[in-house]
Amino acid sequence: VANLDDNITFHAKLILMFQNLNPIVVPIKGTGIGNTIRTSVNMNKIDMNYIFTERPVYFDFIVYNKGRRPLELRWTIQKPKIEGQITSIFTFKINPESTTIPAYDEIPCRMTFQCNKPTSFITGIQGYTTIKKKRTELFNPQIKGTFVRPELRFSQQTIEFHHLHDIASEEKETGDLHTEEPIQPSKDLLPVMTQQVNIKNAGKLGLNMKFDCPKPFSISETKFHLDPDEDHIFDITFDPSFKTDFISELITKKISISFD
């Protein structure tokens, strides 16, 4: 087994020894071609598929130098082709842009993609090294992907609860309500109310979600994972027992949803 750097030629002899015969000498010659740079991923084409907008998205890989001498590695980025909204801001970079890989060593590389709006893109990078003052192309992959946003669908956009206090039952429990002494509503006449809501992931990617539901409302689950086209039913509960008076009140709150 021979491990040759590119453009290196070696000469050797294979000597075959036989009993009762003269040795036979076989000349061996070999020349290294190509280069000794390898990667942990297929660099012919890189498809990022669907990725989320408004945050950096990373693609990590490793570049190996399988040769016996250090090699310089440089990357150049091609101008991307964008299909989407005119106001889309697409950024792409690779780190490190240039480095020297020692013999039999490796370096981690990272591509970073980011766009503020749903957009499809096609771009490319060229990786090259310099051997004996000659620029040698190593990789020239096409890179493409589509930025998308989370898309949720709910069975209803507004959840309404109505509590009509039972004054007749209140008077039976507490007596005359028309008194100068402050009287609070009876807790057993302020029952909790619950409604079911269906949520569906109508997007292209799986979602890890966290729901924040402010009091006096509550939610049966605060964390969800939904794959594309998957739906789930959860409960929203309103607890009116916080009331300490008989004044009519309109309470409006919003459920906050965050994504990993």
Side-chain angles (χ1 to χ4, degrees):
V1 177
N3 182 12
L4 298 181
D5 289 351
D6 58 312
N7 299 321
I8 292 180
T9 301
F10 82 97
H11 299 268
K13 294 180 180 179
L14 174 64
I15 302 177
L16 305 178
M17 307 296 293
F18 302 94
Q19 187 176 2
N20 301 323
L21 291 175
N22 293 327
I24 298 176
V25 179
V26 180
I28 298 176
K29 178 182 177 181
T31 301
I33 60 174
N35 64 81
T36 60
I37 298 293
R38 301 293 181 266
T39 63
S40 61
V41 298
N42 187 340
M43 294 296 286
N44 292 326
K45 188 175 183 179
I46 298 175
D47 189 352
M48 296 299 295
N49 208 339
Y50 294 106
I51 51 181
F52 281 130
T53 60
E54 301 175 4
R55 67 182 180 94
V57 177
Y58 305 111
F59 181 83
D60 296 316
F61 62 100
I62 300 175
V63 180
Y64 305 94
N65 180 6
K66 301 292 187 177
R68 295 178 290 180
R69 60 182 177 181
L71 285 178
E72 179 187 40
L73 173 65
R74 291 182 176 272
W75 301 98
T76 57
I77 300 175
Q78 300 175 3
K79 184 177 179 180
K81 297 179 181 179
I82 303 297
E83 294 183 3
Q85 302 182 38
I86 300 177
T87 55
S88 297
I89 302 175
F90 170 77
T91 59
F92 168 63
K93 61 183 179 180
I94 185 168
N95 185 54
E97 289 188 1
S98 63
T99 187
T100 298
I101 311 175
Y104 302 113
D105 205 350
E106 63 187 53
I107 61 162
C109 293
R110 166 171 284 185
M111 299 180 191
T112 304
F113 307 84
Q114 189 166 2
C115 190
N116 64 331
K117 296 183 179 180
T119 300
S120 295
F121 69 91
I122 297 177
T123 185
I125 56 173
Q126 184 184 66
Y128 62 92
T129 187
T130 302
I131 300 177
K132 295 182 179 180
K133 298 182 179 180
K134 180 181 178 181
R135 175 169 165 164
T136 301
E137 182 179 300
L138 302 174
F139 315 107
N140 190 18
Q142 181 191 71
I143 305 171
K144 66 177 185 177
T146 301
F147 284 94
V148 296
R149 282 179 173 159
E151 186 177 350
L152 296 177
R153 294 178 184 171
F154 295 89
S155 56
Q156 55 201 89
Q157 293 297 319
T158 302
I159 307 164
E160 295 187 358
F161 297 91
H162 299 277
H163 173 77
L164 183 62
H165 202 63
D166 189 345
I167 298 299
S169 297
E170 188 71 66
E171 287 184 334
K172 289 180 181 180
E173 290 202 18
T174 61
D176 188 7
L177 296 180
H178 303 284
T179 175
E180 295 181 358
E181 296 295 329
I183 300 176
Q184 295 186 1
S186 301
K187 298 301 182 183
D188 57 351
L189 296 178
L190 297 172
V192 297
M193 293 174 279
T194 300
Q195 292 191 38
Q196 286 191 330
V197 179
N198 185 74
I199 181 175
K200 180 177 182 178
N201 179 4
K204 300 294 186 180
L205 294 172
L207 296 175
N208 291 316
M209 299 169 284
K210 182 178 180 181
F211 281 39
D212 183 16
C213 187
K215 295 181 178 181
F217 305 96
S218 61
I219 190 170
S220 57
E221 302 171 67
T222 58
K223 293 183 179 180
F224 298 85
H225 173 82
L226 291 179
D227 292 323
D229 294 325
E230 184 181 5
D231 57 5
H232 185 72
I233 295 176
F234 60 94
D235 294 334
I236 297 291
T237 299
F238 171 57
D239 185 1
S241 63
F242 72 96
K243 287 291 289 182
T244 59
D245 55 43
F246 295 94
I247 300 175
S248 296
E249 185 176 357
L250 175 64
I251 302 169
T252 302
K253 300 289 185 179
K254 289 185 177 182
I255 298 176
S256 175
I257 308 173
S258 56
F259 302 91
D260 289 346

